Amino acid sequence: MNTIAENVQAVRARIAQAAARAGRDPAGVRLVAASKMNGPDRVREAVLAGVDACGENRVQEFLEKNGANAYAGSPVHFIGHLQKNKVRFVVGAVDLIHSVDSVELMERIHRQAQALGVVQDVLLEVNIAGEASKSGVSPQDLPVLLEAAASFPGLRVKGLMAIPPMEEKTGENRRYFAGMRQLSVDIRQKKYDNVSMTELSMGMSGDFEEAVEEGATLVRLGTAIFGPRNYGKQEGPRDGFVG
Ligand SMILES: *Cc1c(COP(=O)(O)O)cnc(C)c1O
């Protein structure tokens, strides 16, 4: 069994190798520890091991861990589905919201940010595989959100995020990652107001190397850092391990 620190080190090496294969600088890939189901102590361990940011899925978990000072100064990203009635807990409290997928949500974030006098960085979540069960905007509807960004100075669109299907065979998601990269290139050429395409959040424990090869700037890793999640109880095992 490996420690969280050993897992982070191993993951960094794999990111560096994938970046090298694509002729990319590994410094252009930031490691986000997707820490759902892991308590404050394990999150702090990941921060000490040098992850670039902590990712939280659920507002309640974020508030609990933030209250316990789990992030210890590390940037925090909100990566899960954000309900409109929870926007006020997140805006201004996290560095980046990865999962914006409607104009209504953009407007809520904008209004809350303006009330606080801040500008909230966000990514637009794209349902790149067209899965009925997943949140995210379809590539066809994405221009509506991109156009709307100009009317919401309380936020800044910094890029795109995707959660493709779980891979059954290695390499299956590469076409989705390549599709995301192409989307971001096309959007950059169109020069929407209040939209930059500096970030591509894609790649999880099962497929992050493909994502890095296709241009990911943020990979969101849970299992590869913390070990398998134990949905039976709040704290996972003391040591994470790569399954
Ligand atoms: C849980 C989660 C991850 C990490 O998943 P792993 O497969 O454990 O790496 C990444 N992104 C989001 C949005 C998640 O909810």
Side-chain angles (χ1 to χ4, degrees):
M1 285 229 287
N2 299 322
T3 63
I4 288 171
E6 286 165 344
N7 287 344
V8 167
Q9 205 177 11
V11 156
R12 288 278 191 202
R14 289 169 63 188
I15 290 172
Q17 284 160 9
R21 283 195 293 276
R24 299 186 57 201
D25 179 355
V29 184
R30 277 176 297 151
L31 176 55
V32 181
S35 55
K36 58 175 173 270
M37 313 295 299
N38 287 278
D41 290 347
R42 293 169 59 78
V43 172
R44 223 173 278 120
E45 222 173 304
V47 171
L48 284 174
V51 300
D52 296 300
C54 296
E56 292 294 348
N57 283 73
R58 295 178 57 221
V59 171
Q60 188 59 37
E61 263 191 68
F62 162 63
L63 294 174
E64 283 169 18
K65 288 179 224 177
N66 202 30
N69 196 27
Y71 308 115
S74 162
V76 182
H77 293 183
F78 193 81
I79 63 176
H81 178 67
L82 181 56
Q83 291 167 287
K84 293 186 192 79
N85 63 353
K86 303 262 173 77
V87 160
R88 67 183 188 280
F89 297 114
V90 171
V91 169
V94 303
D95 296 272
L96 183 65
I97 302 173
H98 287 225
S99 44
V100 175
D101 64 355
S102 71
V103 173
E104 295 72 33
L105 188 54
M106 291 172 80
E107 183 175 10
R108 293 280 185 120
I109 292 169
H110 155 76
R111 288 213 306 250
Q112 177 67 15
Q114 293 234 304
L116 295 174
V118 299
V119 178
Q120 178 66 57
D121 286 344
V122 307
L123 307 180
L124 301 179
E125 179 178 349
V126 181
N127 188 343
I128 190 67
E131 294 172 280
S133 62
K134 291 250 176 86
S135 47
V137 62
S138 68
Q140 299 89 290
D141 293 339
L142 189 54
V144 178
L145 278 65
L146 293 163
E147 291 283 354
S151 349
F152 299 135
L155 58 75
R156 251 186 326 225
V157 176
K158 304 288 278 185
L160 304 177
M161 179 267 218
I163 310 177
M166 280 280 270
E167 275 196 335
E168 281 175 16
K169 290 202 298 280
T170 303
E172 271 176 344
N173 282 346
R174 183 180 294 276
R175 66 198 159 116
Y176 296 126
F177 297 139
M180 288 294 295
R181 186 232 285 262
Q182 191 57 52
L183 270 180
S184 83
V185 168
D186 294 344
I187 292 166
R188 210 174 283 133
Q189 280 171 357
K190 295 203 170 109
K191 300 192 190 306
Y192 291 93
D193 282 349
N194 199 23
V195 173
S196 62
M197 283 286 129
T198 48
E199 304 295 347
L200 256 185
S201 168
M202 56 188 196
M204 304 182 11
S205 294
D207 56 20
F208 68 92
E209 287 149 303
E210 294 154 49
V212 168
E213 289 177 29
E214 296 297 338
T217 65
L218 294 162
V219 293
R220 308 177 310 267
L221 306 189
T223 313
I225 292 175
F226 296 106
R229 284 181 286 278
N230 181 349
Y231 284 97
K233 53 188 175 91
Q234 188 62 29
E235 286 278 331
R238 179 64 183 74
D239 291 312
F241 55 90
V242 180

